[in-house]
Amino acid sequence: MTGSRTSSLRGRDFLREADFTVEELTALLDLAAQLKRERADGAEVQRLRGKAIALVFEKASTRTRSAFEVAAFHQGALATTLDPASSHIGSKETAADTARVLDRMYDAIQYRGYAQSTVEELAAHSSVPVYNGLTDEWHPTQMLADFLTMREHSGKPFSDTAYAYLGDARSNMGNSMLVMGAIMGCDVRICAPRELWPEEEVQQIAGERAAESGAQLVITEDPGEALPGADFVETDVWVSLGEPADVWEERISLLRPYRVDATTLELTGNPRVKFLHCLPAFHDARTEVGSRVATETGLVDGLEVAHEVFESPASVVFDEAENRLHTIKALMVATLS
């Protein structure tokens, strides 16, 4: 698997899903499944010995940072984390200059931050692979984990897999869920208020890829249209990292009808439906933000997802979180080994 099927990925950047073919993305998922089995069997081979990866974070991270660092360790590579306190990117040094420094020392660069233009600038000025760990526009490494999780829990080809994404769809997750599903040939339902639909440019990219794959795409305001027959229901936080506090009241009011609770899952008509969330999730009031939201809104049992759903047998969010490790490991192996 680390040979011919992933050979086209060697040395490539991973900035957004639309840059790749269905065959290339499938090869990454297959490699991730192989590496996951090897790890479980105690038979993992270190393919990245002597490699070094720079992890640049403008946004805080739990899963992305952990996945990259542990994946590098498992594969015999060094990972250096550069957060806002230890990096000058954006404040004293441009992304272009940062890239030209890091690519003299590292074999790959990961960036997690705000503008897609920043990660693209890093890639344009770097001779080594650059990975998008998250920007405001796209979340491609999360898509690898989500699609591996869906494949594990459905046992069906993606052409027979239906999923509904509810909530703020004018976001990195909404954009990526729409475009990745279009590439992979899925039955994709994006359900959100019209004001929070993906931008027209993103819809156009998805439409073009769906024409190639045979994917079915629906963008609707009506959960009753989006949910029936869905194999998976996914949501994300309603207010993204870095957005100002005054957005909360308006966004919560707009998105209350799209909250994922037991009734939401019942509307799928599928007793085997699974719930996905890229995390962190505001599913109770036991965090600083969760407590404040509960006090201000009365939603004490969760914001975008009800606690009963988050902790239910339908929830596969921690399988999904673990799969960040295996898919990111596959990405590094495919592009560097």
Side-chain angles (χ1 to χ4, degrees), residues 132-169:
N132 178 0
L134 173 145
T135 63
D136 290 344
E137 292 92 337
W138 302 103
H139 202 351
T141 56
Q142 182 67 48
M143 289 305 98
L144 295 176
D146 286 11
F147 275 68
L148 180 61
T149 306
M150 285 194 281
R151 191 167 76 174
E152 289 174 343
H153 283 277
S154 74
K156 299 195 293 187
F158 290 125
S159 58
D160 294 333
T161 299
Y163 63 80
Y165 175 86
L166 274 65
D168 182 2

PDB file of all heavy atoms in Angstrom, residues 132-169:
ATOM      1  N   ASN A 132      -2.677  21.210   5.629  1.00  0.00           N
ATOM      2  CA  ASN A 132      -3.673  22.086   6.238  1.00  0.00           C
ATOM      3  C   ASN A 132      -4.330  21.361   7.409  1.00  0.00           C
ATOM      4  O   ASN A 132      -5.155  20.478   7.217  1.00  0.00           O
ATOM      5  CB  ASN A 132      -4.719  22.483   5.190  1.00  0.00           C
ATOM      6  CG  ASN A 132      -5.831  23.352   5.756  1.00  0.00           C
ATOM      7  OD1 ASN A 132      -5.841  23.683   6.946  1.00  0.00           O
ATOM      8  ND2 ASN A 132      -6.770  23.726   4.909  1.00  0.00           N
ATOM      9  N   GLY A 133      -3.958  21.757   8.642  1.00  0.00           N
ATOM     10  CA  GLY A 133      -4.565  21.170   9.827  1.00  0.00           C
ATOM     11  C   GLY A 133      -5.899  21.776  10.179  1.00  0.00           C
ATOM     12  O   GLY A 133      -6.637  21.213  10.989  1.00  0.00           O
ATOM     13  N   LEU A 134      -6.225  22.904   9.604  1.00  0.00           N
ATOM     14  CA  LEU A 134      -7.519  23.586   9.705  1.00  0.00           C
ATOM     15  C   LEU A 134      -7.310  25.032   9.322  1.00  0.00           C
ATOM     16  O   LEU A 134      -6.348  25.668   9.753  1.00  0.00           O
ATOM     17  CB  LEU A 134      -8.097  23.518  11.126  1.00  0.00           C
ATOM     18  CG  LEU A 134      -9.368  24.344  11.414  1.00  0.00           C
ATOM     19  CD1 LEU A 134     -10.277  23.608  12.398  1.00  0.00           C
ATOM     20  CD2 LEU A 134      -9.032  25.729  11.985  1.00  0.00           C
ATOM     21  N   THR A 135      -8.207  25.544   8.469  1.00  0.00           N
ATOM     22  CA  THR A 135      -8.324  26.981   8.241  1.00  0.00           C
ATOM     23  C   THR A 135      -9.801  27.329   8.335  1.00  0.00           C
ATOM     24  O   THR A 135     -10.659  26.449   8.497  1.00  0.00           O
ATOM     25  CB  THR A 135      -7.788  27.399   6.857  1.00  0.00           C
ATOM     26  OG1 THR A 135      -8.582  26.771   5.833  1.00  0.00           O
ATOM     27  CG2 THR A 135      -6.329  27.031   6.689  1.00  0.00           C
ATOM     28  N   ASP A 136     -10.107  28.606   8.218  1.00  0.00           N
ATOM     29  CA  ASP A 136     -11.511  29.008   8.277  1.00  0.00           C
ATOM     30  C   ASP A 136     -12.312  28.439   7.120  1.00  0.00           C
ATOM     31  O   ASP A 136     -13.528  28.278   7.226  1.00  0.00           O
ATOM     32  CB  ASP A 136     -11.621  30.541   8.255  1.00  0.00           C
ATOM     33  CG  ASP A 136     -11.126  31.181   9.540  1.00  0.00           C
ATOM     34  OD1 ASP A 136     -10.993  30.457  10.550  1.00  0.00           O
ATOM     35  OD2 ASP A 136     -10.870  32.397   9.535  1.00  0.00           O
ATOM     36  N   GLU A 137     -11.634  28.124   6.004  1.00  0.00           N
ATOM     37  CA  GLU A 137     -12.340  27.666   4.816  1.00  0.00           C
ATOM     38  C   GLU A 137     -12.414  26.148   4.667  1.00  0.00           C
ATOM     39  O   GLU A 137     -13.420  25.637   4.152  1.00  0.00           O
ATOM     40  CB  GLU A 137     -11.688  28.258   3.556  1.00  0.00           C
ATOM     41  CG  GLU A 137     -11.858  29.764   3.429  1.00  0.00           C
ATOM     42  CD  GLU A 137     -10.728  30.578   4.041  1.00  0.00           C
ATOM     43  OE1 GLU A 137     -10.018  30.055   4.932  1.00  0.00           O
ATOM     44  OE2 GLU A 137     -10.549  31.727   3.633  1.00  0.00           O
ATOM     45  N   TRP A 138     -11.367  25.422   5.079  1.00  0.00           N
ATOM     46  CA  TRP A 138     -11.306  23.988   4.801  1.00  0.00           C
ATOM     47  C   TRP A 138     -10.727  23.230   5.996  1.00  0.00           C
ATOM     48  O   TRP A 138      -9.913  23.766   6.749  1.00  0.00           O
ATOM     49  CB  TRP A 138     -10.449  23.693   3.565  1.00  0.00           C
ATOM     50  CG  TRP A 138     -10.912  24.374   2.320  1.00  0.00           C
ATOM     51  CD1 TRP A 138     -10.371  25.488   1.738  1.00  0.00           C
ATOM     52  CD2 TRP A 138     -12.027  24.001   1.490  1.00  0.00           C
ATOM     53  NE1 TRP A 138     -11.065  25.822   0.610  1.00  0.00           N
ATOM     54  CE2 TRP A 138     -12.092  24.931   0.432  1.00  0.00           C
ATOM     55  CE3 TRP A 138     -12.961  22.966   1.551  1.00  0.00           C
ATOM     56  CZ2 TRP A 138     -13.059  24.865  -0.570  1.00  0.00           C
ATOM     57  CZ3 TRP A 138     -13.924  22.897   0.557  1.00  0.00           C
ATOM     58  CH2 TRP A 138     -13.972  23.834  -0.484  1.00  0.00           C
ATOM     59  N   HIS A 139     -11.140  21.941   6.115  1.00  0.00           N
ATOM     60  CA  HIS A 139     -10.606  21.072   7.182  1.00  0.00           C
ATOM     61  C   HIS A 139     -10.338  19.682   6.601  1.00  0.00           C
ATOM     62  O   HIS A 139     -10.971  18.691   6.987  1.00  0.00           O
ATOM     63  CB  HIS A 139     -11.620  20.993   8.322  1.00  0.00           C
ATOM     64  CG  HIS A 139     -11.021  20.602   9.634  1.00  0.00           C
ATOM     65  ND1 HIS A 139      -9.717  20.168   9.767  1.00  0.00           N
ATOM     66  CD2 HIS A 139     -11.563  20.563  10.898  1.00  0.00           C
ATOM     67  CE1 HIS A 139      -9.479  19.892  11.038  1.00  0.00           C
ATOM     68  NE2 HIS A 139     -10.567  20.132  11.739  1.00  0.00           N
ATOM     69  N   PRO A 140      -9.370  19.564   5.693  1.00  0.00           N
ATOM     70  CA  PRO A 140      -9.201  18.302   4.956  1.00  0.00           C
ATOM     71  C   PRO A 140      -8.690  17.141   5.793  1.00  0.00           C
ATOM     72  O   PRO A 140      -9.051  15.985   5.516  1.00  0.00           O
ATOM     73  CB  PRO A 140      -8.210  18.679   3.852  1.00  0.00           C
ATOM     74  CG  PRO A 140      -7.460  19.859   4.386  1.00  0.00           C
ATOM     75  CD  PRO A 140      -8.460  20.616   5.202  1.00  0.00           C
ATOM     76  N   THR A 141      -7.846  17.384   6.800  1.00  0.00           N
ATOM     77  CA  THR A 141      -7.393  16.247   7.607  1.00  0.00           C
ATOM     78  C   THR A 141      -8.540  15.673   8.425  1.00  0.00           C
ATOM     79  O   THR A 141      -8.576  14.468   8.680  1.00  0.00           O
ATOM     80  CB  THR A 141      -6.227  16.642   8.533  1.00  0.00           C
ATOM     81  OG1 THR A 141      -6.607  17.752   9.357  1.00  0.00           O
ATOM     82  CG2 THR A 141      -4.993  17.001   7.733  1.00  0.00           C
ATOM     83  N   GLN A 142      -9.489  16.512   8.831  1.00  0.00           N
ATOM     84  CA  GLN A 142     -10.662  16.005   9.537  1.00  0.00           C
ATOM     85  C   GLN A 142     -11.498  15.118   8.632  1.00  0.00           C
ATOM     86  O   GLN A 142     -12.074  14.121   9.072  1.00  0.00           O
ATOM     87  CB  GLN A 142     -11.515  17.161  10.056  1.00  0.00           C
ATOM     88  CG  GLN A 142     -12.740  16.719  10.862  1.00  0.00           C
ATOM     89  CD  GLN A 142     -12.380  16.050  12.169  1.00  0.00           C
ATOM     90  OE1 GLN A 142     -11.561  16.568  12.924  1.00  0.00           O
ATOM     91  NE2 GLN A 142     -12.975  14.896  12.447  1.00  0.00           N
ATOM     92  N   MET A 143     -11.569  15.470   7.345  1.00  0.00           N
ATOM     93  CA  MET A 143     -12.359  14.665   6.413  1.00  0.00           C
ATOM     94  C   MET A 143     -11.809  13.254   6.285  1.00  0.00           C
ATOM     95  O   MET A 143     -12.574  12.282   6.182  1.00  0.00           O
ATOM     96  CB  MET A 143     -12.403  15.328   5.034  1.00  0.00           C
ATOM     97  CG  MET A 143     -13.250  16.581   4.971  1.00  0.00           C
ATOM     98  SD  MET A 143     -14.963  16.345   5.525  1.00  0.00           S
ATOM     99  CE  MET A 143     -14.875  16.941   7.217  1.00  0.00           C
ATOM    100  N   LEU A 144     -10.483  13.124   6.287  1.00  0.00           N
ATOM    101  CA  LEU A 144      -9.918  11.780   6.222  1.00  0.00           C
ATOM    102  C   LEU A 144     -10.377  10.950   7.412  1.00  0.00           C
ATOM    103  O   LEU A 144     -10.765   9.783   7.264  1.00  0.00           O
ATOM    104  CB  LEU A 144      -8.391  11.852   6.183  1.00  0.00           C
ATOM    105  CG  LEU A 144      -7.760  12.503   4.952  1.00  0.00           C
ATOM    106  CD1 LEU A 144      -6.250  12.574   5.112  1.00  0.00           C
ATOM    107  CD2 LEU A 144      -8.131  11.748   3.674  1.00  0.00           C
ATOM    108  N   ALA A 145     -10.359  11.539   8.606  1.00  0.00           N
ATOM    109  CA  ALA A 145     -10.797  10.820   9.806  1.00  0.00           C
ATOM    110  C   ALA A 145     -12.286  10.502   9.744  1.00  0.00           C
ATOM    111  O   ALA A 145     -12.714   9.394  10.097  1.00  0.00           O
ATOM    112  CB  ALA A 145     -10.489  11.655  11.048  1.00  0.00           C
ATOM    113  N   ASP A 146     -13.088  11.452   9.304  1.00  0.00           N
ATOM    114  CA  ASP A 146     -14.534  11.230   9.235  1.00  0.00           C
ATOM    115  C   ASP A 146     -14.877  10.114   8.256  1.00  0.00           C
ATOM    116  O   ASP A 146     -15.725   9.259   8.536  1.00  0.00           O
ATOM    117  CB  ASP A 146     -15.247  12.512   8.820  1.00  0.00           C
ATOM    118  CG  ASP A 146     -15.305  13.538   9.937  1.00  0.00           C
ATOM    119  OD1 ASP A 146     -14.623  13.357  10.959  1.00  0.00           O
ATOM    120  OD2 ASP A 146     -16.038  14.534   9.792  1.00  0.00           O
ATOM    121  N   PHE A 147     -14.225  10.122   7.108  1.00  0.00           N
ATOM    122  CA  PHE A 147     -14.565   9.125   6.100  1.00  0.00           C
ATOM    123  C   PHE A 147     -14.032   7.741   6.473  1.00  0.00           C
ATOM    124  O   PHE A 147     -14.664   6.728   6.154  1.00  0.00           O
ATOM    125  CB  PHE A 147     -14.103   9.579   4.717  1.00  0.00           C
ATOM    126  CG  PHE A 147     -15.123  10.476   4.051  1.00  0.00           C
ATOM    127  CD1 PHE A 147     -15.391  11.744   4.549  1.00  0.00           C
ATOM    128  CD2 PHE A 147     -15.852  10.030   2.968  1.00  0.00           C
ATOM    129  CE1 PHE A 147     -16.350  12.557   3.970  1.00  0.00           C
ATOM    130  CE2 PHE A 147     -16.830  10.821   2.380  1.00  0.00           C
ATOM    131  CZ  PHE A 147     -17.075  12.102   2.880  1.00  0.00           C
ATOM    132  N   LEU A 148     -12.900   7.675   7.142  1.00  0.00           N
ATOM    133  CA  LEU A 148     -12.456   6.382   7.650  1.00  0.00           C
ATOM    134  C   LEU A 148     -13.442   5.860   8.693  1.00  0.00           C
ATOM    135  O   LEU A 148     -13.791   4.667   8.694  1.00  0.00           O
ATOM    136  CB  LEU A 148     -11.062   6.497   8.263  1.00  0.00           C
ATOM    137  CG  LEU A 148     -10.473   5.196   8.827  1.00  0.00           C
ATOM    138  CD1 LEU A 148     -10.330   4.138   7.734  1.00  0.00           C
ATOM    139  CD2 LEU A 148      -9.123   5.452   9.504  1.00  0.00           C
ATOM    140  N   THR A 149     -13.926   6.741   9.550  1.00  0.00           N
ATOM    141  CA  THR A 149     -14.897   6.348  10.579  1.00  0.00           C
ATOM    142  C   THR A 149     -16.197   5.877   9.943  1.00  0.00           C
ATOM    143  O   THR A 149     -16.772   4.864  10.361  1.00  0.00           O
ATOM    144  CB  THR A 149     -15.159   7.521  11.537  1.00  0.00           C
ATOM    145  OG1 THR A 149     -13.916   7.998  12.061  1.00  0.00           O
ATOM    146  CG2 THR A 149     -16.056   7.094  12.686  1.00  0.00           C
ATOM    147  N   MET A 150     -16.670   6.588   8.943  1.00  0.00           N
ATOM    148  CA  MET A 150     -17.907   6.173   8.271  1.00  0.00           C
ATOM    149  C   MET A 150     -17.729   4.822   7.605  1.00  0.00           C
ATOM    150  O   MET A 150     -18.617   3.964   7.661  1.00  0.00           O
ATOM    151  CB  MET A 150     -18.339   7.242   7.255  1.00  0.00           C
ATOM    152  CG  MET A 150     -18.938   8.478   7.894  1.00  0.00           C
ATOM    153  SD  MET A 150     -19.812   9.571   6.737  1.00  0.00           S
ATOM    154  CE  MET A 150     -18.446  10.426   5.975  1.00  0.00           C
ATOM    155  N   ARG A 151     -16.594   4.613   6.980  1.00  0.00           N
ATOM    156  CA  ARG A 151     -16.357   3.324   6.317  1.00  0.00           C
ATOM    157  C   ARG A 151     -16.329   2.197   7.343  1.00  0.00           C
ATOM    158  O   ARG A 151     -16.880   1.116   7.103  1.00  0.00           O
ATOM    159  CB  ARG A 151     -15.056   3.370   5.524  1.00  0.00           C
ATOM    160  CG  ARG A 151     -14.880   2.190   4.600  1.00  0.00           C
ATOM    161  CD  ARG A 151     -13.757   2.405   3.607  1.00  0.00           C
ATOM    162  NE  ARG A 151     -12.438   2.238   4.219  1.00  0.00           N
ATOM    163  CZ  ARG A 151     -11.300   2.261   3.516  1.00  0.00           C
ATOM    164  NH1 ARG A 151     -11.327   2.481   2.207  1.00  0.00           N
ATOM    165  NH2 ARG A 151     -10.145   2.087   4.124  1.00  0.00           N
ATOM    166  N   GLU A 152     -15.704   2.437   8.492  1.00  0.00           N
ATOM    167  CA  GLU A 152     -15.626   1.409   9.534  1.00  0.00           C
ATOM    168  C   GLU A 152     -16.995   1.066  10.105  1.00  0.00           C
ATOM    169  O   GLU A 152     -17.268  -0.095  10.443  1.00  0.00           O
ATOM    170  CB  GLU A 152     -14.712   1.889  10.659  1.00  0.00           C
ATOM    171  CG  GLU A 152     -13.241   1.942  10.287  1.00  0.00           C
ATOM    172  CD  GLU A 152     -12.381   2.556  11.378  1.00  0.00           C
ATOM    173  OE1 GLU A 152     -12.941   3.232  12.286  1.00  0.00           O
ATOM    174  OE2 GLU A 152     -11.156   2.371  11.343  1.00  0.00           O
ATOM    175  N   HIS A 153     -17.864   2.052  10.229  1.00  0.00           N
ATOM    176  CA  HIS A 153     -19.131   1.831  10.921  1.00  0.00           C
ATOM    177  C   HIS A 153     -20.305   1.525   9.998  1.00  0.00           C
ATOM    178  O   HIS A 153     -21.355   1.099  10.486  1.00  0.00           O
ATOM    179  CB  HIS A 153     -19.465   3.030  11.813  1.00  0.00           C
ATOM    180  CG  HIS A 153     -18.682   3.056  13.087  1.00  0.00           C
ATOM    181  ND1 HIS A 153     -19.057   2.334  14.197  1.00  0.00           N
ATOM    182  CD2 HIS A 153     -17.533   3.691  13.415  1.00  0.00           C
ATOM    183  CE1 HIS A 153     -18.182   2.536  15.161  1.00  0.00           C
ATOM    184  NE2 HIS A 153     -17.239   3.347  14.716  1.00  0.00           N
ATOM    185  N   SER A 154     -20.152   1.714   8.706  1.00  0.00           N
ATOM    186  CA  SER A 154     -21.258   1.397   7.804  1.00  0.00           C
ATOM    187  C   SER A 154     -21.027   0.106   7.059  1.00  0.00           C
ATOM    188  O   SER A 154     -21.984  -0.628   6.769  1.00  0.00           O
ATOM    189  CB  SER A 154     -21.476   2.534   6.795  1.00  0.00           C
ATOM    190  OG  SER A 154     -20.453   2.529   5.814  1.00  0.00           O
ATOM    191  N   GLY A 155     -19.759  -0.176   6.733  1.00  0.00           N
ATOM    192  CA  GLY A 155     -19.472  -1.369   5.946  1.00  0.00           C
ATOM    193  C   GLY A 155     -19.963  -1.264   4.516  1.00  0.00           C
ATOM    194  O   GLY A 155     -19.970  -2.247   3.779  1.00  0.00           O
ATOM    195  N   LYS A 156     -20.369  -0.061   4.106  1.00  0.00           N
ATOM    196  CA  LYS A 156     -20.902   0.138   2.762  1.00  0.00           C
ATOM    197  C   LYS A 156     -19.943   0.987   1.944  1.00  0.00           C
ATOM    198  O   LYS A 156     -19.196   1.798   2.496  1.00  0.00           O
ATOM    199  CB  LYS A 156     -22.267   0.847   2.836  1.00  0.00           C
ATOM    200  CG  LYS A 156     -23.327   0.079   3.587  1.00  0.00           C
ATOM    201  CD  LYS A 156     -24.724   0.632   3.336  1.00  0.00           C
ATOM    202  CE  LYS A 156     -24.912   2.007   3.914  1.00  0.00           C
ATOM    203  NZ  LYS A 156     -26.331   2.458   3.810  1.00  0.00           N
ATOM    204  N   PRO A 157     -19.971   0.840   0.625  1.00  0.00           N
ATOM    205  CA  PRO A 157     -19.182   1.761  -0.202  1.00  0.00           C
ATOM    206  C   PRO A 157     -19.725   3.174  -0.062  1.00  0.00           C
ATOM    207  O   PRO A 157     -20.906   3.375   0.262  1.00  0.00           O
ATOM    208  CB  PRO A 157     -19.371   1.215  -1.625  1.00  0.00           C
ATOM    209  CG  PRO A 157     -20.640   0.421  -1.568  1.00  0.00           C
ATOM    210  CD  PRO A 157     -20.734  -0.137  -0.194  1.00  0.00           C
ATOM    211  N   PHE A 158     -18.883   4.156  -0.319  1.00  0.00           N
ATOM    212  CA  PHE A 158     -19.330   5.536  -0.167  1.00  0.00           C
ATOM    213  C   PHE A 158     -20.461   5.880  -1.127  1.00  0.00           C
ATOM    214  O   PHE A 158     -21.300   6.732  -0.828  1.00  0.00           O
ATOM    215  CB  PHE A 158     -18.154   6.495  -0.360  1.00  0.00           C
ATOM    216  CG  PHE A 158     -17.153   6.441   0.771  1.00  0.00           C
ATOM    217  CD1 PHE A 158     -15.819   6.194   0.514  1.00  0.00           C
ATOM    218  CD2 PHE A 158     -17.556   6.635   2.082  1.00  0.00           C
ATOM    219  CE1 PHE A 158     -14.901   6.139   1.555  1.00  0.00           C
ATOM    220  CE2 PHE A 158     -16.648   6.577   3.124  1.00  0.00           C
ATOM    221  CZ  PHE A 158     -15.316   6.331   2.862  1.00  0.00           C
ATOM    222  N   SER A 159     -20.523   5.205  -2.255  1.00  0.00           N
ATOM    223  CA  SER A 159     -21.608   5.459  -3.208  1.00  0.00           C
ATOM    224  C   SER A 159     -22.971   5.069  -2.644  1.00  0.00           C
ATOM    225  O   SER A 159     -24.002   5.527  -3.143  1.00  0.00           O
ATOM    226  CB  SER A 159     -21.351   4.709  -4.513  1.00  0.00           C
ATOM    227  OG  SER A 159     -21.237   3.313  -4.269  1.00  0.00           O
ATOM    228  N   ASP A 160     -22.976   4.242  -1.592  1.00  0.00           N
ATOM    229  CA  ASP A 160     -24.232   3.836  -0.937  1.00  0.00           C
ATOM    230  C   ASP A 160     -24.386   4.469   0.442  1.00  0.00           C
ATOM    231  O   ASP A 160     -25.272   4.076   1.203  1.00  0.00           O
ATOM    232  CB  ASP A 160     -24.285   2.308  -0.786  1.00  0.00           C
ATOM    233  CG  ASP A 160     -24.367   1.595  -2.116  1.00  0.00           C
ATOM    234  OD1 ASP A 160     -24.884   2.198  -3.082  1.00  0.00           O
ATOM    235  OD2 ASP A 160     -23.896   0.451  -2.204  1.00  0.00           O
ATOM    236  N   THR A 161     -23.539   5.433   0.768  1.00  0.00           N
ATOM    237  CA  THR A 161     -23.547   6.040   2.097  1.00  0.00           C
ATOM    238  C   THR A 161     -24.194   7.416   2.042  1.00  0.00           C
ATOM    239  O   THR A 161     -23.844   8.244   1.193  1.00  0.00           O
ATOM    240  CB  THR A 161     -22.108   6.178   2.637  1.00  0.00           C
ATOM    241  OG1 THR A 161     -21.523   4.877   2.735  1.00  0.00           O
ATOM    242  CG2 THR A 161     -22.098   6.849   4.004  1.00  0.00           C
ATOM    243  N   ALA A 162     -25.144   7.632   2.961  1.00  0.00           N
ATOM    244  CA  ALA A 162     -25.823   8.927   3.053  1.00  0.00           C
ATOM    245  C   ALA A 162     -25.496   9.576   4.390  1.00  0.00           C
ATOM    246  O   ALA A 162     -25.525   8.909   5.429  1.00  0.00           O
ATOM    247  CB  ALA A 162     -27.328   8.747   2.924  1.00  0.00           C
ATOM    248  N   TYR A 163     -25.181  10.859   4.360  1.00  0.00           N
ATOM    249  CA  TYR A 163     -24.973  11.559   5.621  1.00  0.00           C
ATOM    250  C   TYR A 163     -25.565  12.962   5.555  1.00  0.00           C
ATOM    251  O   TYR A 163     -25.672  13.571   4.481  1.00  0.00           O
ATOM    252  CB  TYR A 163     -23.499  11.604   6.018  1.00  0.00           C
ATOM    253  CG  TYR A 163     -22.560  12.338   5.103  1.00  0.00           C
ATOM    254  CD1 TYR A 163     -22.446  13.722   5.129  1.00  0.00           C
ATOM    255  CD2 TYR A 163     -21.733  11.632   4.226  1.00  0.00           C
ATOM    256  CE1 TYR A 163     -21.558  14.398   4.312  1.00  0.00           C
ATOM    257  CE2 TYR A 163     -20.841  12.290   3.407  1.00  0.00           C
ATOM    258  CZ  TYR A 163     -20.753  13.676   3.454  1.00  0.00           C
ATOM    259  OH  TYR A 163     -19.866  14.326   2.644  1.00  0.00           O
ATOM    260  N   ALA A 164     -25.959  13.435   6.736  1.00  0.00           N
ATOM    261  CA  ALA A 164     -26.523  14.772   6.862  1.00  0.00           C
ATOM    262  C   ALA A 164     -25.641  15.593   7.798  1.00  0.00           C
ATOM    263  O   ALA A 164     -25.299  15.135   8.891  1.00  0.00           O
ATOM    264  CB  ALA A 164     -27.942  14.704   7.412  1.00  0.00           C
ATOM    265  N   TYR A 165     -25.281  16.777   7.353  1.00  0.00           N
ATOM    266  CA  TYR A 165     -24.545  17.712   8.200  1.00  0.00           C
ATOM    267  C   TYR A 165     -25.498  18.843   8.574  1.00  0.00           C
ATOM    268  O   TYR A 165     -26.057  19.522   7.703  1.00  0.00           O
ATOM    269  CB  TYR A 165     -23.329  18.265   7.465  1.00  0.00           C
ATOM    270  CG  TYR A 165     -22.612  19.332   8.262  1.00  0.00           C
ATOM    271  CD1 TYR A 165     -21.645  18.970   9.200  1.00  0.00           C
ATOM    272  CD2 TYR A 165     -22.906  20.678   8.104  1.00  0.00           C
ATOM    273  CE1 TYR A 165     -21.004  19.940   9.963  1.00  0.00           C
ATOM    274  CE2 TYR A 165     -22.269  21.644   8.854  1.00  0.00           C
ATOM    275  CZ  TYR A 165     -21.321  21.277   9.781  1.00  0.00           C
ATOM    276  OH  TYR A 165     -20.697  22.233  10.542  1.00  0.00           O
ATOM    277  N   LEU A 166     -25.704  19.034   9.882  1.00  0.00           N
ATOM    278  CA  LEU A 166     -26.624  20.044  10.383  1.00  0.00           C
ATOM    279  C   LEU A 166     -25.864  21.137  11.127  1.00  0.00           C
ATOM    280  O   LEU A 166     -24.930  20.841  11.879  1.00  0.00           O
ATOM    281  CB  LEU A 166     -27.651  19.429  11.356  1.00  0.00           C
ATOM    282  CG  LEU A 166     -28.916  18.813  10.761  1.00  0.00           C
ATOM    283  CD1 LEU A 166     -28.582  17.597   9.908  1.00  0.00           C
ATOM    284  CD2 LEU A 166     -29.887  18.424  11.876  1.00  0.00           C
ATOM    285  N   GLY A 167     -26.290  22.394  10.934  1.00  0.00           N
ATOM    286  CA  GLY A 167     -25.692  23.473  11.704  1.00  0.00           C
ATOM    287  C   GLY A 167     -25.153  24.571  10.825  1.00  0.00           C
ATOM    288  O   GLY A 167     -25.748  24.925   9.803  1.00  0.00           O
ATOM    289  N   ASP A 168     -24.014  25.126  11.231  1.00  0.00           N
ATOM    290  CA  ASP A 168     -23.368  26.193  10.478  1.00  0.00           C
ATOM    291  C   ASP A 168     -22.610  25.576   9.312  1.00  0.00           C
ATOM    292  O   ASP A 168     -21.546  24.993   9.480  1.00  0.00           O
ATOM    293  CB  ASP A 168     -22.414  26.962  11.399  1.00  0.00           C
ATOM    294  CG  ASP A 168     -21.730  28.131  10.695  1.00  0.00           C
ATOM    295  OD1 ASP A 168     -22.030  28.365   9.503  1.00  0.00           O
ATOM    296  OD2 ASP A 168     -20.910  28.804  11.332  1.00  0.00           O
ATOM    297  N   ALA A 169     -23.160  25.694   8.113  1.00  0.00           N
ATOM    298  CA  ALA A 169     -22.549  25.066   6.933  1.00  0.00           C
ATOM    299  C   ALA A 169     -21.703  26.039   6.139  1.00  0.00           C
ATOM    300  O   ALA A 169     -21.084  25.652   5.151  1.00  0.00           O
ATOM    301  CB  ALA A 169     -23.634  24.472   6.039  1.00  0.00           C
TER     302      ALA A 169
END
